[in-house]
Amino acid sequence: MSTGTGPVERTVMNRKRKTLRLKREETHGGDMGLLCEWNQCGTLWQNSIRLGQHVEEHFNSFIENNLGSKYKCQWEDCDFAVDDETDIGRLKRHVLYHTFHSKLKWRGQRTIEYYNQQPCIQESALRNWIPEDIRYQCGYGDCTTEIDHPELFFSHVADHCNEYLPARGEPKRAEMSRPTRFECRWLDCGFSAPRVNWLKEHMRKHSQVKECACPTCGSVFANRERLLDHLRRQTPLECQRFQCSHCQRMYPTESLLKAHMGKHIHAYRCPFCPVTTNLPSTLHRHITSRHQEDRPYQCPVCEYAGKFEADIKRHILTHNAGGLYRCEVEGCEFAARTPSTVKRHARKRHNGEAVGDRYRCHLCESETGFGWGAALGRHLRQAHGLRPPSGHTRFSYIASPDGLIRLQTTTYESKEMKTLRLVAVPG
């Protein structure tokens, strides 16, 4: 008798079984063997918590012996530094994230071996580059707890969901009186779920917990499937068999193609202008940035205020008195205020990811190309008087069958537009 599942569903089910089996092996499989990379220490530890305690001893000794000087992270291949004693707490959070990152890379290596995947081909010198500014502060209800170690913080956030679970020894009739939906009490979040486990899964978005990382390039991922997608995307172009009918991009698997094609269908419309988007999060960001005046994120140094937390994180770097981060490639004079910008530059300019002059104008007969979308956008405005669609600030581009990138002149919209529940009303 048929079960009604096709080959794709069976593949997904088998992948989930493998993931569960891998998690059980990690839980009961003994020591992890995490390497301490602080100043060539080289000792191995069985989990990230013990590694963190060990690294804290290194850190405290380092601070005591370097009072009054610039404090640079001593983790291998990491250039993060702070300028004075007021930022020692930020450096400590950064160092402790290295210990958690080591665990994520260990999980990533186990996943690659378990699924028999080819290793990542990106630059390994960037494997220990992690976010520059990390702060773990709980925002659940009235809780404002700050925790330095990321793994302890993630556990703290998940424990908030246990308030909905019956206490040990509580009679079953008390369990029957529990609410039918469980609300997330995180600041400005109106999510609710019919099960506590679903609420716990949702809380991962607030805590920004990561499950694994690529052991080669250091990229972090929310789950193992994202890591596997990261590796599959590096499949040579000649081996990719699935093509998008709209933008002609090629993909190595059908699941990656389906995920990509969803980006072409706009199902969410802005209630204040004609803009449509393919994701509710994108529409929410558009409404906040284009139609609301509130700037709740204040710079602690100057009068600048931003609409998003990311705005403040970027702005704070302008107060960095420690100078610029420079490209390490011999002969290259590129410099920037953040390591992430230098990392992005290195990938585009020195690792074969530059696009050359592939951007072409669809209205000109000239063969002159443009290196970046911004340059083509200026040309479209100045030479042809074109403007982005109402509500948008930039043009969108797609790859043509000839491999060149041109202006996207068509947008696919869903027959049934969805609306979002607005958290705030534009001022």
Side-chain angles (χ1 to χ4, degrees):
M1 181 176 179
S2 175
T3 61
T5 58
V8 175
E9 290 78 4
R10 287 196 295 271
T11 300
V12 171
M13 291 172 62
N14 290 336
R15 193 171 295 150
K16 287 183 177 179
R17 292 191 188 100
K18 283 187 174 182
T19 300
L20 290 174
R21 193 179 305 127
L22 186 58
K23 286 184 177 180
R24 285 196 296 268
E25 289 181 5
E26 288 181 6
T27 304
H28 305 290
D31 295 352
M32 290 184 177
L34 304 181
L35 178 68
C36 175
E37 298 186 63
W38 180 276
N39 200 17
Q40 300 179 344
C41 172
T43 56
L44 295 176
W45 297 87
Q46 63 184 9
N47 59 57
S48 62
I49 300 297
R50 295 200 176 187
L51 173 60
Q53 294 169 346
H54 166 74
V55 171
E56 275 196 80
E57 296 178 1
H58 282 310
F59 179 82
N60 293 335
S61 175
F62 169 77
I63 295 299
E64 291 175 2
N65 296 329
N66 290 272
L67 288 176
S69 61
K70 185 173 181 178
Y71 302 98
K72 180 181 179 298
C73 177
Q74 300 297 298
W75 206 263
E76 186 176 352
D77 293 330
C78 182
D79 295 326
F80 182 81
V82 296
D83 298 315
D84 51 50
E85 296 179 14
T86 60
D87 284 334
I88 288 180
R90 189 158 64 102
L91 178 61
K92 181 179 180 180
R93 289 192 297 271
H94 170 89
V95 170
L96 289 178
Y97 192 91
H98 274 303
T99 65
F100 178 61
H101 193 227
S102 296
K103 177 180 178 178
L104 298 184
K105 290 186 292 184
W106 178 86
R107 279 181 175 172
Q109 183 60 44
R110 292 267 296 173
T111 301
I112 292 173
E113 295 172 356
Y114 191 84
Y115 286 93
N116 195 27
Q117 290 288 323
Q118 292 296 319
C120 176
I121 61 174
Q122 295 187 19
E123 178 58 54
S124 61
L126 305 176
R127 65 187 177 86
N128 282 333
W129 285 48
I130 60 177
E132 295 91 11
D133 194 12
I134 305 169
R135 183 183 181 187
Y136 298 108
Q137 183 174 16
C138 184
Y140 191 86
D142 298 328
C143 182
T144 58
T145 303
E146 289 193 42
I147 300 176
D148 287 336
H149 197 290
E151 198 162 8
L152 297 179
F153 171 75
F154 301 144
S155 177
H156 165 85
V157 172
D159 284 344
H160 278 299
C161 298
N162 294 334
E163 67 184 28
Y164 289 112
L165 297 176
R168 181 175 297 179
E170 186 177 6
K172 289 187 176 181
R173 62 177 179 274
E175 185 175 353
M176 295 294 292
S177 65
R178 286 191 299 158
T180 56
R181 295 194 69 84
F182 305 95
E183 295 185 358
C184 174
R185 296 173 53 206
W186 200 272
L187 182 64
D188 293 333
C189 181
F191 177 84
S192 64
R195 298 181 181 178
V196 175
N197 286 342
W198 294 7
L199 178 60
K200 284 187 175 182
E201 186 65 26
H202 162 79
M203 292 288 286
R204 292 166 61 91
K205 297 180 180 179
H206 293 305
S207 64
Q208 294 293 301
V209 61
K210 305 300 180 183
E211 187 171 308
C212 59
C214 176
T216 301
C217 70
S219 300
V220 295
F221 304 94
N223 54 60
R224 288 176 169 84
E225 189 60 31
R226 296 288 178 87
L227 169 61
L228 297 176
D229 285 344
H230 165 73
L231 300 173
R232 295 182 188 116
R233 292 179 196 277
Q234 300 175 30
T235 303
L237 186 61
E238 59 271 15
C239 299
Q240 300 185 18
R241 301 184 294 109
F242 300 91
Q243 186 175 38
C244 174
S245 58
H246 176 56
C247 66
Q248 316 305 319
R249 288 190 64 175
M250 300 294 296
Y251 289 89
T253 66
E254 186 177 3
S255 61
L256 287 176
L257 174 61
K258 286 183 177 180
H260 161 78
M261 293 188 71
K263 298 179 181 179
H264 291 306
I265 302 175
H266 290 199
Y268 298 89
R269 185 187 301 279
C270 176
F272 308 109
C273 71
V275 165
T276 58
T277 68
N278 64 312
L279 292 172
S281 58
T282 306
L283 180 55
H284 188 276
R285 185 174 183 84
H286 160 79
I287 293 173
T288 302
S289 60
R290 303 292 294 177
H291 301 296
Q292 294 181 352
E293 298 300 328
D294 292 342
R295 294 177 175 269
Y297 298 96
Q298 180 68 47
C299 175
V301 180
C302 68
E303 297 180 354
Y304 175 84
K307 292 186 175 182
F308 302 97
E309 186 177 2
D311 297 340
I312 286 296
K313 288 183 177 180
R314 286 193 298 268
H315 169 79
I316 287 292
L317 295 171
T318 64
H319 297 297
N320 178 18
L324 300 176
Y325 296 91
R326 300 189 179 279
C327 178
E328 297 182 354
V329 175
E330 184 177 357
C332 182
E333 299 181 354
F334 180 84
R337 288 187 178 275
T338 64
S340 60
T341 304
V342 177
K343 178 180 177 180
R344 189 162 54 249
H345 156 81
R347 286 180 174 177
K348 289 181 177 179
R349 293 301 186 187
H350 304 304
N351 294 341
E353 294 188 13
V355 295
D357 60 350
R358 290 177 58 201
Y359 284 83
R360 299 296 176 88
C361 177
H362 67 296
L363 299 175
C364 293
E365 296 182 358
S366 171
E367 293 297 324
T368 302
F370 301 89
W372 308 101
L376 176 55
R378 285 194 296 270
H379 167 79
L380 293 173
R381 287 183 173 93
Q382 297 171 3
H384 304 291
L386 298 185
R387 294 291 181 269
S390 177
H392 293 268
T393 59
R394 294 180 294 181
F395 294 103
S396 296
Y397 306 98
I398 61 172
S400 303
D402 59 2
L404 300 177
I405 301 174
R406 295 183 173 89
L407 179 68
Q408 177 178 326
T409 57
T410 304
T411 298
Y412 295 97
E413 296 185 351
S414 172
K415 291 183 179 180
E416 296 183 1
M417 283 290 171
K418 303 175 183 178
T419 58
L420 292 181
R421 182 181 68 84
L422 298 182
V423 175
V425 178

